[in-house]
Amino acid sequence: MTVKLGVAPIAWSNDDMPELGGETPLVQCLSEARQAGFIGIEFGGKFPKTSEELIPILNKFNLNLCSGWYGANLRTNTVDEEKAIIQAQLKLFKDCNSPCIVFAEVSGSIQGDPNKKLSTRPKMNLEESKKYYEKISEMGKYLQDKGMPLAFHHHMGTVIESQDDTVRLLENTDDTVKLTLDTGHMLFAQGNSLEILKNFGERVIHIHCKDIRKDILEKSLKEDFSFREAFLEGAFTVPGDGCIDYKPLFDVLKKNNYSGWLVVEAEQDPAKANPFEYAKIGYNYLADTLSKSRINIYKK
């Protein structure tokens, strides 16, 4: 069994707060990602928006595009409206042979608002939920037919945040609605990634390996921080630098014969946490722990 290791560019910069790492050029981000050992990187705000520009840059550093974020507004848009909006990114990801698109619902999200406490995040009532599940199922079928699977991202500050939210989504949508499991966001929402992997392994096609500093998590929950305040305080870090033990998770991946991407991600201030050094910490920890679970890493 073999997996691929990628990294998210938010180690070097943050699309929610462009001023964080805003001075870091894209070529440095790509070069350091490759030097750290990664063979893939997710799409970010600094990246060219056309495949004609992006593919040569990725090729220069021998990197694959291993997916990227798409913020949807299906709660307020019609499915046809959302299909129209996603076209440019869909074309880019298909041209770059991305394995999936990380699809999140951002309508009403408070993730980028420094004045909104996490307890005020949006929620859907039963009636809206049913309509939403129908819409997301239609988008899942559409993107599957286009060869670009929808990998839904549960995320702090959004309507699909907790383990219960995620389970209800998976239980009430078409099988074409897949999942990006984010270990850091799941723990922050006081959920259990291991249970998700055990119960919905066939739906998990993309994994964000994000870790948590337990003391800052507890402070963030106790004081009801905004999402921005929590990550600026240092709630998130890379695997190997936090409290999550990945060995049990990788044992289940081995049992499930998972063959997708594991993407190291940490929403941190690059001025406080050197991106290159933390990328190496994450890569080395995953490599060591995967070996213990008898999972190979694809090399190129």
Side-chain angles (χ1 to χ4, degrees), residues 207-246:
I207 298 176
H208 282 172
C209 295
K210 188 190 282 102
D211 215 330
I212 289 278
R213 295 184 175 96
K214 190 176 181 180
D215 57 335
I216 302 177
L217 169 62
E218 291 173 348
K219 181 181 179 182
S220 300
L221 294 172
K222 181 179 179 180
E223 299 182 22
D224 196 17
F225 283 178
S226 68
F227 179 72
R228 180 174 293 188
E229 186 177 8
F231 81 69
L232 287 176
E233 281 283 319
F236 294 114
T237 186
V238 296
D241 188 52
C243 65
I244 298 176
D245 179 5
Y246 278 80

Side-chain angles (χ1 to χ4, degrees), residues 75 105-113 116 122 155-159:
R75 292 178 67 202
E105 179 59 47
V106 298
S107 180
S109 170
I110 60 167
Q111 69 196 75
D113 191 332
K116 294 285 182 68
H155 196 287
M156 295 301 298
T158 72
V159 290

Side-chain angles (χ1 to χ4, degrees), residues 193-294:
S193 293
L194 194 59
E195 290 181 1
I196 295 290
L197 283 177
K198 286 180 177 178
N199 297 328
F200 298 96
E202 75 285 353
R203 303 284 285 275
V204 177
I205 63 169
H206 199 64
I207 298 176
H208 282 172
C209 295
K210 188 190 282 102
D211 215 330
I212 289 278
R213 295 184 175 96
K214 190 176 181 180
D215 57 335
I216 302 177
L217 169 62
E218 291 173 348
K219 181 181 179 182
S220 300
L221 294 172
K222 181 179 179 180
E223 299 182 22
D224 196 17
F225 283 178
S226 68
F227 179 72
R228 180 174 293 188
E229 186 177 8
F231 81 69
L232 287 176
E233 281 283 319
F236 294 114
T237 186
V238 296
D241 188 52
C243 65
I244 298 176
D245 179 5
Y246 278 80
K247 176 64 163 56
L249 297 172
F250 291 167
D251 287 344
V252 176
L253 292 185
K254 174 74 172 180
K255 184 178 180 181
N256 293 348
N257 200 31
Y258 179 83
S259 59
W261 287 87
L262 301 177
V263 179
V264 169
E265 185 181 39
E267 282 145 310
Q268 300 189 92
D269 183 346
K272 297 178 180 178
N274 182 275
F276 184 42
E277 296 305 318
Y278 275 83
K280 289 188 288 186
I281 291 170
Y283 183 93
N284 291 334
Y285 174 81
L286 288 192
D288 180 62
T289 311
L290 287 165
S291 176
K292 291 175 181 176
S293 294
R294 294 176 289 111

Side-chain angles (χ1 to χ4, degrees), residues 160-171:
I160 308 295
E161 175 185 275
S162 68
Q163 182 175 351
D164 286 345
D165 295 335
T166 305
V167 168
R168 281 193 293 268
L169 177 83
L170 294 173
E171 288 180 340

